[in-house]
Amino acid sequence: MSEAIVFVNGEYVPESEARISVFDRGFLFADGVYEVTSVIEGGLVDNAGHLVRLRRSLGEIGMSCPMSDEEITLMQKNLIERNQLEQGMIYLQVSRGAAPRDFAFPVDTKPSIVAFTQSRNVLSPPVVERGLTVVTLPDIRWRRRDIKTVGLLPASMAKQRAAEQGADDAWMVEDGYVTEGTSNNAYIIDREQRLITRPLSSDILPGITRKAILALAEESGMEILERSFTPEEAYQAQEAFVSSATTFVMPVVSIDGHAIGDGKPGPVVKRLRELYIDFARRTLS
Ligand code: PDD
């Protein structure tokens, strides 16, 4: 198969020829933000929401977007086509660009913008059938988790620790309450079939998938409680799941070794996943 094409600062180049400066602040300071949009049937899922959040993240770090939404969408579609991507995701990163190393923001630096695609089974990965196992770990991230920055080392370390403990992922805990997963939002369903998830604040990323799921759950008549929950409460839950652009609605069947419900993906989470996939198809662009 021919080499994948990536987008770097206005050009489409084979992966092996893609270049970013050593002095790029994304590389030196994690001074950049990103978005991940899933792709199904060759189309972008709920991309408008991701572009709104990209602009917000950039604004919070004092940057503006170097491309318009129309230009970004066109570029994303181009990249999907060039890489013949049917299903998977598209990653988009904007960093402050290259400048002599100094902590304060440089003036008039040209931002770097990069995008690539990754093929992946998002619609029906085998793990949906068995569900994820998670362990809880301390949340050691910074205080502005609402900004989708590329500073992902704490999340990466948590995911690695989870893997070393034989788990699929980690739920991070702060002051006794679950914040979110390493790269997803966390939810439980209690015995009254209420959907419980932490409210938005700077403690968690405002998931684009989360927003859609809460609207779909509400439409389907579910009661939603946006409040924090403890790991102990989660152990007692009837069902649990995580959400993100690449996992959609993904069942969690074990937390810190406690089986959730009967230890198998449950009906409420299955239903929410179906509702989300219908929604995703309706938003394709
Ligand atoms: N991660 N919380 C965190 C910390 C995340 O990194 C993500 C997404 C989410 C879910 O957000 P959304 O529904 O908008 O994807 C929540 C992406 C998928 C990633 O880093 O690969």
Side-chain angles (χ1 to χ4, degrees):
M1 194 184 139
S2 60
E3 228 184 305
I5 300 296
V6 303
F7 175 85
V8 185
N9 294 328
E11 290 180 42
Y12 298 90
V13 291
E15 193 183 306
S16 62
E17 288 168 31
R19 298 281 181 271
I20 282 282
S21 167
V22 162
F23 295 99
D24 193 281
R25 290 178 58 94
F27 179 59
L28 295 179
F29 292 101
D31 185 359
V33 300
Y34 75 107
E35 279 299 328
V36 173
T37 304
S38 69
V39 173
I40 58 174
E41 291 147 19
L44 296 155
V45 174
D46 204 5
N47 198 41
H50 289 281
L51 294 180
V52 168
R53 189 175 60 189
L54 177 70
R55 267 170 212 287
R56 181 193 180 262
S57 293
L58 284 166
E60 292 300 306
I61 64 165
M63 284 182 67
S64 52
C65 195
M67 289 166 75
S68 69
D69 282 3
E70 292 70 32
E71 287 168 336
I72 293 178
T73 310
L74 197 63
M75 176 274 284
Q76 290 172 314
K77 287 185 182 165
N78 249 317
L79 209 54
I80 289 170
E81 187 153 336
R82 283 169 193 250
N83 290 318
Q84 294 172 20
L85 183 71
E86 181 59 28
Q87 205 180 133
M89 64 88 146
I90 184 156
Y91 177 96
L92 171 67
Q93 174 173 324
V94 183
S95 63
R96 204 177 304 272
R101 186 175 183 274
D102 187 5
F103 281 72
F105 297 163
V107 194
D108 290 338
T109 305
K110 203 167 159 292
S112 300
I113 181 158
V114 164
F116 58 81
T117 60
Q118 241 173 38
S119 168
R120 163 173 179 161
N121 180 357
V122 284
L123 281 173
S124 49
V127 66
V128 172
E129 300 307 318
R130 72 163 168 86
L132 299 174
T133 59
V134 304
V135 288
T136 59
L137 290 172
D139 195 335
I140 61 166
R141 298 174 301 161
W142 74 329
R143 306 229 54 89
R144 290 301 309 276
R145 302 162 194 153
D146 55 312
I147 311 174
K148 197 165 172 62
T149 79
V150 296
L152 295 176
L153 187 56
S156 181
M157 286 167 72
K159 185 113 189 193
Q160 177 61 25
R161 278 188 62 187
E164 285 163 4
Q165 293 177 33
D168 296 308
D169 204 354
W171 276 11
M172 296 179 283
V173 176
E174 185 170 64
D175 300 331
Y177 292 94
V178 174
T179 51
E180 58 189 330
T182 58
S183 59
N184 43 58
N185 292 115
Y187 310 73
I188 55 174
I189 290 159
D190 70 6
R191 284 162 208 274
E192 284 81 55
Q193 304 225 330
R194 293 179 300 199
L195 180 58
I196 303 169
T197 195
R198 192 173 175 112
L200 295 185
S201 72
S202 52
D203 297 337
I204 62 168
L205 187 78
I208 302 304
T209 321
R210 175 189 184 279
K211 185 176 177 192
I213 291 165
L214 293 189
L216 293 165
E218 189 159 13
E219 266 170 42
S220 78
M222 269 184 97
E223 194 180 337
I224 295 162
L225 301 176
E226 284 188 78
R227 66 160 174 82
S228 297
F229 58 86
T230 63
E232 293 70 29
E233 192 180 1
Y235 304 154
Q236 303 301 320
Q238 201 60 38
E239 296 185 41
F241 68 99
V242 293
S243 75
S244 75
T246 46
T247 58
F248 296 169
V249 172
M250 182 65 72
V252 168
V253 293
S254 156
I255 305 171
D256 290 335
H258 299 266
I260 305 307
D262 62 2
K264 293 198 196 89
V268 177
V269 173
K270 273 189 193 153
R271 179 75 192 125
L272 285 172
R273 185 173 173 90
E274 285 165 10
L275 288 174
Y276 184 78
I277 289 175
D278 286 348
F279 163 86
R281 288 209 164 93
R282 292 199 300 273
T283 70
L284 284 188
S285 62

